[in-house]
Amino acid sequence: MTGTIVVTLDGSELAEKVLPYAVALEKTTGAEILLLSVVVPVDTWLVAGGVYLSDKRLAEEADAAQRYLESVRERLGREDIRTSVVYGRAAAAIREIAEEEHAVAVAMTTHG
């Protein structure tokens, strides 16, 4: 099997628990891994008191997410793993990337 395994990560230890399973799936299927983080843009925030994040702050979050994904790739010792940070609502963005990548699987953990 070829294709992509989209691994969604949010920076938490819980989310990273999926990594051994994604790597095992990659080895058995021949698919490649894409580490994905989603940054939620201002227009999708429901924030009390009218406090919104600036575009600069969102760009900083995206940069931090990219650095995080690269650190995960380095910890795995895998230069062949791709990374991507996108803006959007998490579920819709994950679905869109999975479709674009012709994903054979989306690997993620549940929240606590």
Side-chain angles (χ1 to χ4, degrees), residues 21-73:
Y21 301 100
V23 169
L25 185 59
E26 172 203 29
K27 289 179 181 176
T28 60
T29 64
E32 68 175 341
I33 292 177
L34 171 68
L35 302 178
L36 175 68
S37 282
V38 180
V39 175
V40 179
V42 172
D43 63 348
T44 61
W45 280 80
L46 299 175
V47 183
V51 178
Y52 293 96
L53 297 177
S54 68
D55 288 343
K56 179 181 177 189
R57 174 73 175 144
L58 287 172
E60 290 170 355
E61 284 189 27
D63 289 343
Q66 184 61 46
R67 287 190 304 276
Y68 163 70
L69 293 178
E70 290 169 5
S71 75
V72 171
R73 179 176 58 198

Side-chain angles (χ1 to χ4, degrees), residues 10 12-15 17 108-112:
D10 63 5
S12 69
E13 287 183 28
L14 177 61
K17 291 186 182 290
M108 68 178 72
T109 59
T110 185
H111 54 78

